Amino acid sequence: MLSACVKNVNYVLHSLQYQVFAFGNSFPTEVCQKERKKNGQPTNTHTHKHKHNTHKVAAAVARPAALQGLKMWFTARFLYVFTYNMFQFCAHTWILANMTVRFLMFGRDALADTFYSIGVVMSLCQLFTVLELFHIADGIDKSWILPRLFQVVERNLLLFTIVMMEEIQSKPVVCAQFFLWNILGLLRYPQELLCVMGSPSLNMLWNRYTLYVPTYILAAVAEGVTVYQAVNHLEKAGRGRLQLPISSPNRVPILLKTYLIILAVGATVTVWQLVKERQQRLEKWNKKLKK
């Protein structure tokens, strides 16, 4: 799974470089040809007597049209979706690289302070995922809203629990949790970014919808272990309130145990819907290839 994420990162970087190069070279040429045709000028500059002067004039005429076409291409909707996916892609790449380097340098000692080193960036990434619910409602994202709603709610609630309990932040399971979340992000956002740019990849699509399901199951198990350790810590320490506005001291462990049941049911439904979504997306791609 880690190698697939690295391949996704490399593919996105190469695609970005190719898109910028292709746009910079082809767009002005097309605009020049349209302007020449509109003004009654020859479109084939190789047969023109004054080739050098013609290029200069056509470039000068095409600059305003090129700027106008550039504004039309970079619409507000495109810039927003591109910026959001690029932010998530860069943030998850940075977090995974940070965790990997720290583990290689410090070994097991790096597991204890994982939350202190990347907790802020991870919290921002998960907080911004609330916008994805509006993406689905607005039609930007064609995914199903129920799995996304459950993922957003469960991750933000779990982060809230981890932030409120300093004793859980240094547990190795938190490091495993963040690692799996980043793997899920790097399986998903590179493919979303390429779809926004209009150059989807079959390999990345297959990696996302095939490797995503077992990785999500492991992440759900890690979430359950984190909540279970939090419940044990509260019951042993007798700190049921834990700086929360709840009157009964036994209310927080009960809520967390209820959350474990909801997590198991919700993860099962989410996995089932992810499998169905995988079948639909791959079938659509196969139909496009047959055409």
Side-chain angles (χ1 to χ4, degrees):
M1 290 182 291
L2 185 60
S3 61
C5 292
V6 175
K7 290 181 180 179
N8 288 353
V9 173
N10 292 330
Y11 190 87
V12 169
L13 294 178
H14 286 299
S15 297
L16 283 172
Q17 183 180 3
Y18 175 77
Q19 291 288 340
V20 172
F21 178 78
F23 181 79
N25 285 328
S26 62
F27 181 74
T29 304
E30 295 174 359
V31 174
C32 289
Q33 292 178 355
K34 290 181 180 179
E35 291 297 324
R36 293 193 198 101
K37 195 172 184 180
K38 186 187 298 183
N39 297 330
Q41 298 175 357
T43 57
N44 189 3
T45 58
H46 294 286
T47 60
H48 201 270
K49 295 181 180 179
H50 305 286
K51 187 186 301 182
H52 184 67
N53 294 331
T54 304
H55 279 294
K56 286 185 177 181
V57 174
V61 172
R63 284 194 192 103
L67 292 175
Q68 185 179 1
L70 192 63
K71 292 179 181 179
M72 293 176 61
W73 192 66
F74 286 107
T75 59
R77 185 186 182 94
F78 172 82
L79 286 176
Y80 166 73
V81 178
F82 181 83
T83 303
Y84 174 80
N85 287 284
M86 179 60 73
F87 167 77
Q88 292 284 2
F89 168 69
C90 294
H92 283 289
T93 303
W94 180 85
I95 293 173
L96 187 63
N98 188 302
M99 294 178 63
T100 304
V101 171
R102 288 177 59 84
F103 182 76
L104 293 176
M105 291 179 62
F106 304 106
R108 295 179 61 89
D109 295 336
L111 303 180
D113 59 347
T114 299
F115 184 82
Y116 298 99
S117 60
I118 63 173
V120 176
V121 182
M122 177 61 71
S123 300
L124 286 176
C125 291
Q126 299 305 322
L127 183 63
F128 285 154
T129 55
V130 178
L131 296 174
E132 296 178 5
L133 302 178
F134 298 97
H135 296 175
I136 298 176
D138 191 48
I140 298 175
D141 191 352
K142 303 300 182 181
S143 302
W144 293 354
I145 192 169
L146 185 59
R148 193 66 51 81
L149 175 64
F150 180 74
Q151 292 176 23
V152 170
V153 173
E154 68 173 350
R155 292 184 184 182
N156 283 280
L157 286 177
L158 186 62
L159 275 174
F160 177 76
T161 304
I162 295 174
V163 170
M164 295 300 296
M165 300 183 64
E166 297 181 359
E167 297 82 359
I168 304 299
Q169 295 175 4
S170 59
K171 298 290 185 181
V173 69
V174 175
C175 180
Q177 184 71 77
F178 286 174
F179 180 79
L180 291 172
W181 281 356
N182 279 280
I183 293 294
L184 291 174
L186 290 178
L187 287 175
R188 177 186 163 200
Y189 290 109
Q191 194 264 340
E192 295 285 346
L193 193 59
L194 291 177
C195 289
V196 171
M197 294 187 297
S199 58
S201 171
L202 176 60
N203 293 330
M204 295 182 68
L205 182 70
W206 187 90
N207 288 335
R208 175 186 174 183
Y209 288 104
T210 303
L211 299 179
Y212 196 93
V213 174
T215 308
Y216 176 79
I217 295 174
L218 293 176
V221 172
E223 292 175 11
V225 173
T226 304
V227 175
Y228 180 77
Q229 291 186 357
V231 171
N232 287 340
H233 175 75
L234 289 175
E235 290 178 347
K236 291 180 181 178
R239 295 172 56 191
R241 294 182 183 181
L242 193 63
Q243 303 176 359
L244 291 176
I246 299 176
S247 58
S248 176
N250 297 322
R251 200 65 71 78
V252 174
I254 293 176
L255 290 177
L256 291 178
K257 291 178 181 179
T258 306
Y259 175 77
L260 282 175
I261 300 175
I262 297 175
L263 176 64
V265 176
T268 303
V269 175
T270 302
V271 169
W272 175 68
Q273 291 191 343
L274 286 174
V275 172
K276 290 187 65 176
E277 186 178 1
R278 175 184 179 275
Q279 294 176 353
Q280 293 178 359
R281 294 296 177 90
L282 292 180
E283 285 178 0
K284 289 181 180 179
W285 188 274
N286 291 329
K287 290 180 180 179
K288 290 181 180 179
L289 292 179
K290 291 180 180 179
K291 292 180 181 180

